[in-house]
Amino acid sequence: RQTQYYACAALRSDGSIVTWGPHAPRVPPDPGYTQAEAAYFHVVAVRQDGSVLAWGDNQHGQCDVPALPPGTTALKATGGIQHSAALLSDGSVLAWGSNSQGQCDVPPLPPGLRYVDVSANGYFTIGLVSDGSVVAWGSDLTGQTQVPALPPGLAYVEVAAGQEYGLALRSDGEVIGWGSDAHGQASVPALPPGYSYSALGAGAHHGLALRESPFPCGAVKNFCPGHANTTGSPATLGVWGSLDLQDDDTHLWTAACPPGRLGLFIYGADTARLPFGDGILCISPFHPGLLRLAPVVTIDAGGHASHQIDFTSLPGAGQISAGSIWYFQFWDRDYTAGGVGANLSDAARVTFCR
């Protein structure tokens, strides 16, 4: 869901979109949407087949979606006042509409890097890069393209653009704001001890962030709901057994997966909410990155798969210690019509004990 200056849009669980507000454009009937965002006088959305649809005010061509490059699909669509942009499956960003402030001039990336998220607002655009850096382009009237440098060892994991300011979530759970602060929209409230931010959003003149409280030893919390797969439901992840490392009895399981397909449990030290395949990647691919729990598993006839964590054979960067917090998710092959052939479950946050 996304809110802009004159309209709001929300994606329902059945794949339909609802909009409201004084200038909310009427939604074209289509039950197969996977993502939507309200811009100023127009709405952009991604269909299940990876195509982009835009409707509403089109004075500057912001609803004239260009043809996608052959072999690519859209993962996310976003819009500003007079322009729109989409993140594509090949890691590129496509932008169209007014380019009066350079808001459609997507910066090329060095070889080996790709865009993993994009957010547009006002007359500028923000892109999150696969190395954890952030770039912004377009109007710089209030410094909204001047992204603050990262401290050593940290990465950005999520971005949100406001009208003349930007917000970015760091891998340490802090949210950084820059650009216009005329209404306090870039002045992110300080966190109480032990708390962290886990998601963010931006309106025209206000920012939002989800705050997470400290988790006690042995706590498990699911978050980041997945997209429906070929079973008609999103896959879910669970944790059972003991979370005390001395017991060596921690199990992961997943349900509502496509039977007979291959899958893999993954984990990491930070959260994200990035379009990935036909689902949402809830684990940050940065520092230390996505870690695999071998071996690959086959989903049974009931749509289930499980894995017992072997704490003696974890990847070097993924050693689990007492008191540490890790995030787990399940990836599977899933050949949804019009999709890219992979999906993900929701995610679970786990605090391990001594």
Side-chain angles (χ1 to χ4, degrees):
R1 61 187 182 273
Q2 181 68 35
T3 302
Q4 284 274 22
Y5 204 84
Y6 294 107
C8 301
L11 179 69
R12 289 183 170 137
S13 58
D14 64 357
S16 63
I17 296 171
V18 59
T19 60
W20 65 95
H23 297 284
R26 182 176 299 177
V27 182
D30 189 327
Y33 295 108
T34 61
Q35 183 261 336
E37 181 173 309
Y40 276 68
F41 295 104
H42 72 289
V43 176
V44 289
V46 178
R47 291 188 176 114
Q48 285 184 350
D49 63 0
S51 62
V52 177
L53 185 66
W55 64 93
D57 177 44
N58 195 33
Q59 294 185 58
H60 303 276
Q62 60 266 52
C63 295
D64 294 334
V65 183
L68 304 186
T72 67
T73 58
L75 303 178
K76 178 183 178 180
T78 181
I81 294 179
Q82 299 175 352
H83 78 293
S84 304
L87 174 67
L88 304 186
S89 56
D90 64 354
S92 64
V93 170
L94 183 66
W96 63 94
S98 172
N99 196 32
S100 61
Q101 304 294 319
Q103 62 266 49
C104 293
D105 292 334
V106 182
L109 296 177
L113 297 182
R114 55 190 285 142
Y115 287 105
V116 295
D117 196 10
V118 65
S119 181
N121 206 320
Y123 297 95
F124 82 116
T125 310
I126 303 176
L128 177 63
V129 185
S130 55
D131 64 354
S133 64
V134 169
V135 294
W137 60 94
S139 173
D140 194 38
L141 183 65
T142 60
Q144 62 264 51
T145 65
Q146 305 301 310
V147 183
L150 282 164
L154 296 182
Y156 287 121
V157 299
E158 188 177 352
V159 294
Q163 183 172 330
E164 294 181 333
Y165 72 102
L167 298 174
L169 176 64
R170 279 191 336 208
S171 55
D172 62 353
E174 293 283 350
V175 171
I176 306 301
W178 68 93
S180 174
D181 198 32
H183 304 278
Q185 64 267 48
S187 296
V188 182
L191 287 164
Y195 283 69
S196 63
Y197 288 117
S198 61
L200 53 81
H205 303 301
H206 71 288
L208 308 93
L210 179 64
R211 192 172 69 182
E212 295 279 359
S213 60
F215 274 63
C217 169
V220 176
K221 180 182 179 182
N222 283 72
F223 66 101
C224 191
H227 288 170
N229 53 38
T230 50
T231 70
S233 302
T236 57
L237 183 79
V239 183
W240 63 277
S242 173
L243 295 178
D244 190 322
L245 298 181
Q246 296 181 19
D247 295 336
D248 194 22
D249 187 37
T250 304
H251 300 255
L252 305 173
W253 61 267
T254 185
C257 296
R261 301 297 187 186
L262 297 178
L264 183 70
F265 289 93
I266 58 176
Y267 72 113
D270 297 304
T271 63
R273 280 175 174 79
L274 305 174
F276 189 89
D278 297 319
I280 298 295
L281 180 63
C282 310
I283 302 170
S284 172
F286 318 117
H287 307 295
L290 292 178
L291 304 168
R292 302 180 179 185
L293 290 170
V296 172
V297 297
T298 300
I299 300 165
D300 68 21
H304 306 95
S306 63
H307 176 85
Q308 181 176 2
I309 299 177
D310 182 355
F311 295 102
T312 65
S313 63
L314 295 174
Q319 297 302 307
I320 295 175
S321 58
S324 63
I325 298 174
W326 293 87
Y327 304 90
F328 295 85
Q329 198 169 9
F330 185 71
W331 172 94
D332 64 79
R333 282 290 181 195
D334 183 43
Y335 298 97
T336 305
V340 301
N343 211 324
L344 293 149
S345 69
D346 64 348
R349 173 177 174 169
V350 181
T351 306
F352 288 89
C353 306
R354 294 176 176 82

